[in-house]
Amino acid sequence: MRADRLVSLVLLLRQRGRMTADALARELEVSTRTVLRDIEALSSAGVPVYAERGRHGGFGLLPGFRTELTGLNHEEALALLAAGPGRGEQVLGLGPAFASALRKVVDALPEGHRATASDAARRFLVDPEADLLSRRTVTDEVSGPTLIEVRRAVLAGHKLRIHYAAAGRSPEWRTVDPIGLVTVRDRGYLLATRSGEDRTYRLSRMVAAEELPEPAERPGRVDLDRIWRERSARFLVDGHITVLVRVDPARREDLLDTAVAVRAEAPDTDGRLRLELTYQDAWHAEWALWQLGTDAEVLAPPTLRTALRDRAAAMAARYADPS
């Protein structure tokens, strides 16, 4: 909305001082022409914006101008600044809104605390894009227009028409009753019902979406956490395989990275760990456990032990000494 953008523009000028129209356009994700129109609107509304020409020119606010945003203490502001616009916001398409909110948070702080809080927030890094082994986290890509339509339908309580591509299938149009949005490990999901049946849709598989005017058939109050737990439990039962493994503790994280879920974990003999894991299917389990070599041993099911033994025998035969 334009009103939000005007507020963000004022806060940017307050916090960063003089800025060029191009720099403002990049921050606000609009065109330079839009920024110039917004500057003119602010000036007409009495906001003391001035332009300075020349090589190092730009737009600024007259000294002493201040907007009012109260209600946050220093610790609350620090918590928001430290969290920053993470990938979860990007998954649901709220990154720009989060950045705008953070600018308002900074502006709410007293003059003397503003720099201190921003400095302190830079000492925290929450959920970086890569771990210590430089493995990058893959974030689902969802188109902006699709996310906007999905969010509108969820918040308005309207039916939603989605062009959805299920795994291994071509996209199809379907009409659903949206319940809520969930973000898990940088993947976004829409919880919905279709013809009264529970459905969970991955946002990245939505090619397009359209909010419909008809009201959705859904309860007035919802417990998303409970619904997600119930659907996750059903998902782990349908078509998945449970595997019992002994693993070197040093390879525990590598093992967990490949599993769909961990059902149980306990110490075992020889300093190893015993874990009960869920995998998508037998092929997925065989592939994942093969990566760990002798650092992991499958105890059950027997069919998986046999598959890994046969694969190891085939590999040994392939690399046998030709002489």
Side-chain angles (χ1 to χ4, degrees), residues 217-271:
E217 298 177 12
R218 66 181 192 181
R221 297 179 64 85
V222 65
D223 184 350
L224 275 186
D225 189 54
R226 176 186 58 78
I227 294 173
W228 181 254
R229 287 198 307 269
E230 291 173 353
R231 295 194 182 186
S232 297
R234 289 201 299 269
F235 175 77
L236 293 177
V237 172
D238 297 340
H240 287 64
I241 182 174
T242 300
V243 179
L244 188 61
V245 185
R246 292 178 72 242
V247 65
D248 184 330
R251 302 300 302 277
R252 177 182 178 275
E253 293 302 321
D254 295 329
L255 182 62
L256 297 189
D257 282 347
T258 63
V260 173
V262 181
R263 292 176 172 272
E265 179 177 351
D268 200 44
T269 57
D270 303 328

Side-chain angles (χ1 to χ4, degrees), residues 21-83:
D22 288 341
L24 287 167
R26 284 194 300 271
E27 285 286 342
L28 299 172
E29 299 182 355
V30 296
S31 67
T32 304
R33 181 175 296 181
T34 297
V35 168
L36 295 176
R37 284 200 299 263
D38 288 349
I39 291 287
E40 185 177 347
L42 289 172
S43 183
S44 300
V47 177
V49 185
Y50 70 92
E52 190 167 310
R53 301 186 181 279
R55 182 179 177 184
H56 301 292
F59 296 98
L61 293 170
L62 291 177
F65 178 77
R66 177 166 180 77
T67 56
E68 291 299 328
L69 179 65
T70 58
L72 284 173
N73 62 37
H74 185 272
E75 292 297 315
E76 291 169 340
L78 178 59
L80 289 172
L81 290 171

Side-chain angles (χ1 to χ4, degrees), residues 11-282:
L11 295 179
L12 279 169
L13 294 178
R14 273 190 47 77
Q15 293 160 21
R16 301 191 188 178
R18 189 167 58 246
M19 294 180 68
T20 65
D22 288 341
L24 287 167
R26 284 194 300 271
E27 285 286 342
L28 299 172
E29 299 182 355
V30 296
S31 67
T32 304
R33 181 175 296 181
T34 297
V35 168
L36 295 176
R37 284 200 299 263
D38 288 349
I39 291 287
E40 185 177 347
L42 289 172
S43 183
S44 300
V47 177
V49 185
Y50 70 92
E52 190 167 310
R53 301 186 181 279
R55 182 179 177 184
H56 301 292
F59 296 98
L61 293 170
L62 291 177
F65 178 77
R66 177 166 180 77
T67 56
E68 291 299 328
L69 179 65
T70 58
L72 284 173
N73 62 37
H74 185 272
E75 292 297 315
E76 291 169 340
L78 178 59
L80 289 172
L81 290 171
R87 296 189 301 279
E89 285 75 35
Q90 300 298 340
V91 168
L92 297 180
L94 296 173
F98 200 93
S100 174
L102 288 183
R103 285 194 287 269
K104 296 175 183 178
V105 168
V106 173
D107 196 72
L109 297 175
E111 190 78 36
H113 293 174
R114 204 172 299 150
T116 304
S118 296
D119 237 18
R122 294 190 189 100
R123 303 290 177 178
F124 305 141
L125 178 60
V126 180
D127 197 16
E129 292 185 1
D131 62 17
L132 286 174
L133 299 179
S134 298
R135 296 173 299 193
R136 295 185 63 82
T137 302
V138 179
T139 302
D140 277 355
E141 296 292 334
V142 191
S143 74
T146 299
L147 274 176
I148 290 173
E149 290 295 310
V150 173
R151 279 207 316 268
R152 283 176 178 168
V154 168
L155 297 177
H158 289 168
K159 287 183 179 293
L160 180 68
R161 190 164 174 258
I162 58 175
H163 199 204
Y164 189 79
R169 297 172 60 181
S170 300
E172 295 179 1
W173 284 102
R174 58 197 76 187
T175 300
V176 302
D177 296 296
I179 295 173
L181 290 166
V182 177
T183 302
V184 182
R185 294 181 182 175
D186 302 314
R187 291 179 178 177
Y189 299 89
L190 170 69
L191 304 188
T193 59
R194 186 183 180 202
S195 301
E197 298 292 327
D198 290 345
R199 293 289 186 270
T200 302
Y201 300 101
R202 192 160 160 181
L203 294 180
S204 62
R205 291 178 180 161
M206 291 186 189
V207 180
E210 176 188 1
E211 179 192 5
L212 301 178
E214 296 89 356
E217 298 177 12
R218 66 181 192 181
R221 297 179 64 85
V222 65
D223 184 350
L224 275 186
D225 189 54
R226 176 186 58 78
I227 294 173
W228 181 254
R229 287 198 307 269
E230 291 173 353
R231 295 194 182 186
S232 297
R234 289 201 299 269
F235 175 77
L236 293 177
V237 172
D238 297 340
H240 287 64
I241 182 174
T242 300
V243 179
L244 188 61
V245 185
R246 292 178 72 242
V247 65
D248 184 330
R251 302 300 302 277
R252 177 182 178 275
E253 293 302 321
D254 295 329
L255 182 62
L256 297 189
D257 282 347
T258 63
V260 173
V262 181
R263 292 176 172 272
E265 179 177 351
D268 200 44
T269 57
D270 303 328
R272 294 204 160 201
L273 298 173
R274 181 179 292 240
L275 291 94
E276 186 178 344
L277 307 168
T278 297
Y279 285 93
Q280 293 174 2
D281 50 37

Side-chain angles (χ1 to χ4, degrees), residues 300-311:
T303 52
L304 181 56
R305 285 182 63 92
T306 301
L308 287 169
R309 183 198 64 203
D310 292 346
R311 179 184 281 219

